[in-house]
Amino acid sequence: QVQLVESGGGLVQPGGSLTLSCAASGSIGSVFRMGWYRQAPGKQRELVATITSGGSTVIADSVKNRFTISRDNTKNAVSMQMNSLNAEDTAVYYCHLLVVGPLVKAYWGQGTQVTVSS
C-alpha cells in the first residue's frame, strides 16, 4: 500500500520561496510520474509540475521560470522549489503519483496548504 507524505507547506511572504517535498512509502516500481497539483478555493485542480522516473518534466505555464521540480528515485521522492511566490500561488497543493506497471495506479497526498501573504 502506497502512501504519499507531503511536507513544506505553510505561510510565506510575497516574493519569497518555499520548497514542497513528497515521499512515497514502499515500493512504487521503476516507471512513474510524480509531482504536484494545486487547487485554490472555487477553482479547478490544476497541474503544477511533474517529473517522470526518466527525468522528463512538465511545468505549468503559470509557474514556468519560478518553480522547479526534482526527483530522487532511490527515495521515491520529489521536491518542488517555488520562487518568487505571489498571492496567486495560494492554494492547497497535492502530491500526485502515477505508477505505470501491469496496471496503472494513481495516488494522491492529503494536500498541504501554501499561503502567500504578508
Side-chain angles (χ1 to χ4, degrees):
Q1 184 65 47
V2 175
Q3 293 189 8
L4 302 178
V5 180
E6 303 155 325
S7 63
L11 176 66
V12 64
Q13 295 181 341
S17 299
L18 202 64
T19 299
L20 300 182
S21 298
C22 178
S25 66
S27 177
I28 63 172
S30 60
V31 182
F32 61 87
R33 187 186 72 166
M34 195 170 183
W36 296 90
Y37 290 69
R38 69 184 182 186
Q39 187 167 23
K43 297 184 178 179
Q44 295 181 331
R45 187 173 298 186
E46 63 178 355
L47 184 148
V48 181
T50 62
I51 187 167
T52 69
S53 49
S56 298
T57 61
V58 175
I59 311 293
D61 288 341
S62 60
V63 303
K64 280 185 179 296
N65 303 315
R66 298 190 298 119
F67 292 10
T68 58
I69 189 166
S70 61
R71 76 194 193 283
D72 186 336
N73 289 357
T74 301
K75 298 180 179 179
N76 296 331
V78 295
S79 294
M80 183 169 68
Q81 177 69 46
M82 305 184 292
N83 299 319
S84 301
L85 289 164
N86 56 60
E88 285 65 49
D89 297 313
T90 296
V92 177
Y93 285 70
Y94 296 90
C95 182
H96 177 261
L97 170 65
L98 186 72
V99 178
V100 180
L103 299 174
V104 178
K105 302 183 68 175
Y107 303 89
W108 289 96
Q110 66 179 6
T112 183
Q113 178 71 46
V114 172
T115 301
V116 184
S117 175
S118 60

